[in-house]
Amino acid sequence: RGAAQMAPHEAKVGSEGKHPAPAEEEHDEPMWKPGDRVFALWAGNGCFYPATVADVQREQRSLMVTWDDADGSHRTVSFDQVMEPGEETVAWSMAKIDRRASVRDTDNKGRCLFTNEACEPGQVVFVEKPTLVSLPSLSQKLWDHLQSLHEAQPLNLGTVTFHFAALMSQFELDPMSIDVIMDKFVPDPDEEPSEDVVRILQSIQDNMPEILSEHPVDPRRLQRLVSAWRYNSFGHHKEDGLVLYNRISMCAHSCDPTCCWSYGDGDAFVLRARVALKKGDELTISYLQDEDLLKSTAIRQQKLHNWRFTCQCTRCNLRVDTGRGFRCRRCRIGIFYACTVGGLEPCWACNSTPLQEDVQMLLHLEEEYVLRVENLDKFDAADVETVYQAAIDIFERHWILYVMDTMLWEAYRQKNLPDAMEHQRRRIEFHEHYYGRPTFILAWCHEELGDCVLSQFPHRKWQYIQEFQRAYQMLAILCGNHHQYTASPYNKLFAASNPNGSADNGTAGAANVNSA
Ligand SMILES: [Zn+2]
Ligand SMILES: [Zn+2]
């Protein structure tokens, strides 16, 4: 097993900070200097946002800051409204990480990661710095050369990123860091150098011999590094590159992961508890994107074969797959759910058992619809609508309906709010039914539904406040109180609770929203 190859969500730079600025006595004046990273209070709404110090006005006891989101307003911030980036975004030392989490051998999954302490939902488990961030800019010349090779004749792996990262590890890292990568999980530790590796080394030898004379590369070793990157790295969140971590690669996958993550300063990996953890609980993340966690067990397992393992998580071991529901043919009220091993469960409303020929027919229809939905053009709303109409006659609480609800929500959110809201409501219903934990998708569904209610039914304060509150609480767990994602529903709650008041003098009591 190894860690994810794709970022499970598009969370960008984490922005958590909790340490107040140093004390304000004359002899202990904050020593801010231009270029320092800070969290500063934006007077527009009283929330903290990430920024860089542009200028220090020591007499006025204030800073001129440059906001990360390039907002040009309220750039002067007094010393007492600035926080240092806290331990929640800055990478921890390996010793501190090792106090929090241990690597242990397991019977069936190899080495895995466990927490040494209980954690509350949303609490940072640890923050780890990358072993290497492999970006084209590290060696543009080599990157361009590999790209031209790939264009002339595609590499078997389908991309140059893994080979480039493997070469960069060899060229850029000290021997100890290379050993960390060599120690990572690969399906076949004794793999022969692949055609790609042989071809790349030969081509570098022919075209850029100076690179290899400076850093000789053994083909077997390069193959091992390529596989280590392939099975353990994460896609870089901004550029065309990859990131590899040390401890995080020990984090196994689960379709019901105990942890979630976002990026901190300098591509640090901020690992948080998604649920309450007891001492000794396993730390798991999802190698799949949020939307794939809402697909059937069979589809999830199929996608996870990219990492060469069969998922044995609690969700994958359920006997009944409640993400594959079929409308009962007899009563038309209840649902037959699919069994993971084949066949259908009795209807939960009328308790009738589906006839054998109905089972065959329904499972066959399901295969057809899965293909149809996978090939739908989400911009052709009329076609999606046609398939949806036909599908709701056969399926209920089925992930393909969720996929189409998502397409129709997207299609209608600008021009047909009542229809859009109904599809959004159904998305939330399915998500909570099939997988009830906080995800970025679910949080944003709630926030967007709150926006719709506010514009469509401004008198339903009870409803939109509830939606914003759910979004806020989930995002606080997923990426912390001070992340820009969390600030968004927070600001909406703040505005809803103070319709007439100006927010200019508000303080950043994001945690107080609990009582909003
Ligand atoms: Zn699973
Ligand atoms: Zn029935």
Side-chain angles (χ1 to χ4, degrees):
R1 36 150 299 284
Q5 190 170 301
M6 285 183 301
H9 53 75
E10 40 175 81
K12 297 207 168 65
V13 181
S15 329
E16 188 79 356
K18 68 171 190 184
H19 294 316
E24 302 274 324
E25 281 80 26
E26 289 296 323
H27 61 275
D28 197 14
E29 193 74 334
M31 295 305 288
W32 303 114
K33 57 184 187 310
D36 281 351
R37 298 285 298 150
V38 292
F39 288 99
L41 188 124
W42 184 63
N45 62 11
C47 283
F48 280 84
Y49 291 95
T52 303
V53 176
D55 190 27
V56 183
Q57 296 144 347
R58 222 159 273 287
E59 263 104 88
Q60 291 93 337
R61 300 177 48 76
S62 63
L63 299 177
M64 172 73 90
V65 299
T66 305
W67 302 108
D68 281 11
D69 62 3
D71 185 285
S73 63
H74 305 294
R75 290 184 55 203
T76 303
V77 184
S78 79
F79 281 173
D80 58 351
Q81 294 178 329
V82 182
M83 297 194 294
E84 285 180 281
E87 65 173 10
E88 302 202 343
T89 44
V90 175
W92 297 10
S93 70
M94 196 43 96
K96 189 173 172 189
I97 292 175
D98 285 342
R99 280 198 295 278
R100 180 55 72 81
S102 349
V103 178
R104 287 211 302 269
D105 259 315
T106 60
D107 293 340
N108 52 353
K109 295 195 298 184
R111 287 169 300 176
C112 294
L113 206 55
F114 298 84
T115 177
N116 296 334
E117 289 170 35
C119 293
E120 293 291 318
Q123 188 181 333
V124 170
V125 180
F126 63 76
V127 186
E128 184 177 34
K129 75 170 196 297
T131 302
L132 182 65
V133 182
S134 166
L135 297 174
S137 55
L138 281 182
S139 173
Q140 196 64 47
K141 199 178 141 202
L142 180 61
W143 174 267
D144 292 342
H145 181 70
L146 294 186
Q147 285 291 8
S148 66
L149 266 183
H150 184 47
E151 276 155 29
Q153 186 201 325
L155 296 175
N156 294 322
L157 222 45
T159 168
V160 305
T161 53
F162 300 121
H163 298 94
F164 179 77
L167 286 164
M168 280 301 120
S169 317
Q170 184 70 31
F171 299 160
E172 297 277 320
L173 295 177
D174 58 79
M176 259 175 70
S177 302
I178 298 180
D179 285 347
V180 165
I181 301 180
M182 290 296 283
D183 183 48
K184 300 228 167 284
F185 162 84
V186 293
D188 175 10
D190 298 316
E191 202 176 350
E192 291 292 327
S194 66
E195 206 184 312
D196 287 346
V197 161
V198 174
R199 190 175 149 222
I200 285 172
L201 283 178
Q202 187 59 53
S203 167
I204 296 176
Q205 185 62 53
D206 294 346
N207 297 284
M208 294 183 273
E210 69 284 358
I211 293 186
L212 290 181
S213 60
E214 207 178 316
H215 308 275
V217 181
D218 170 56
R220 283 188 88 92
R221 189 177 167 84
L222 183 59
Q223 182 60 51
R224 177 78 187 252
L225 289 170
V226 168
S227 294
W229 276 91
R230 179 177 174 192
Y231 291 104
N232 296 277
S233 63
F234 293 76
H236 190 264
H237 51 101
K238 277 188 203 143
E239 293 169 65
D240 205 359
L242 297 171
V243 196
L244 193 69
Y245 301 88
N246 185 355
R247 278 293 172 271
I248 287 298
S249 317
M250 301 293 167
C251 225
H253 164 87
S254 168
C255 302
D256 182 13
T258 59
C259 296
C260 47
W261 59 276
S262 53
Y263 283 109
D265 291 354
D267 296 311
F269 192 103
V270 183
L271 187 73
R272 284 172 198 277
R274 189 193 296 263
V275 295
L277 297 177
K278 298 186 301 295
K279 181 182 175 181
D281 279 351
E282 189 181 349
L283 300 167
T284 52
I285 55 174
S286 172
Y287 299 179
L288 300 175
Q289 305 185 30
D290 280 359
E291 61 178 39
D292 288 335
L293 287 181
L294 299 176
K295 292 180 178 162
S296 68
T297 301
I299 303 261
R300 294 196 312 273
Q301 299 244 338
Q302 196 187 324
K303 288 185 181 282
L304 288 165
H305 281 149
N306 281 334
W307 288 272
R308 303 286 182 275
F309 71 95
T310 303
C311 188
Q312 298 288 349
C313 76
T314 45
R315 286 182 72 204
C316 286
N317 277 323
L318 291 174
R319 199 179 59 82
V320 178
D321 191 340
T322 55
R324 291 171 59 206
F326 301 83
R327 291 186 68 185
C328 173
R329 312 293 288 177
R330 180 161 299 169
C331 73
R332 296 254 143 207
I333 300 166
I335 299 174
F336 303 135
Y337 285 117
C339 296
T340 323
V341 289
L344 300 177
E345 287 282 284
C347 166
W348 57 247
C350 72
N351 204 30
S352 64
T353 306
L355 300 170
Q356 199 48 44
E357 64 241 45
D358 279 352
V359 173
Q360 295 308 324
M361 191 249 323
L362 288 172
L363 294 179
H364 181 69
L365 274 172
E366 185 189 29
E367 274 175 39
E368 282 185 4
Y369 270 89
V370 167
L371 272 178
R372 253 177 114 174
V373 168
E374 270 171 3
N375 293 312
L376 274 176
D377 173 7
K378 66 175 182 177
F379 298 108
D380 186 350
D383 191 37
V384 178
E385 188 85 46
T386 309
V387 178
Y388 189 77
Q389 293 270 356
I392 53 171
D393 203 39
I394 306 161
F395 307 101
E396 195 164 333
R397 299 222 156 142
H398 197 292
W399 66 270
I400 61 168
L401 295 179
Y402 170 85
V403 170
M404 287 189 279
D405 278 318
T406 304
M407 291 176 180
L408 292 170
W409 149 257
E410 291 288 343
Y412 294 146
R413 60 188 294 185
Q414 303 295 351
K415 50 183 188 223
N416 179 352
L417 218 44
D419 280 15
M421 283 169 73
E422 178 56 21
H423 289 294
Q424 188 76 328
R425 203 190 53 72
R426 288 175 178 227
R427 290 178 72 200
I428 292 174
E429 190 179 81
F430 178 78
H431 194 311
E432 287 172 346
H433 155 78
Y434 193 38
Y435 181 57
R437 309 269 193 221
T439 69
F440 283 95
I441 288 184
L442 188 54
W444 287 326
C445 278
H446 281 301
E447 185 176 351
E448 289 160 349
L449 187 58
D451 292 337
C452 295
V453 173
L454 180 57
S455 85
Q456 199 76 354
F457 307 103
H459 60 284
R460 286 197 206 163
K461 188 172 170 180
W462 59 271
Q463 194 180 6
Y464 60 76
I465 286 228
Q466 194 174 47
E467 297 299 340
F468 292 146
Q469 208 160 41
R470 285 195 182 124
Y472 167 76
Q473 301 289 5
M474 277 187 205
L475 290 167
I477 289 175
L478 295 169
C479 55
N481 274 327
H482 295 107
H483 197 284
Q484 54 186 340
Y485 291 160
T486 316
S488 172
Y490 171 78
N491 292 340
K492 291 168 186 172
L493 270 176
F494 189 89
S497 319
N498 304 278
N500 305 313
S502 146
D504 276 12
N505 293 317
T507 50
N512 297 336
V513 174
N514 290 324
S515 55

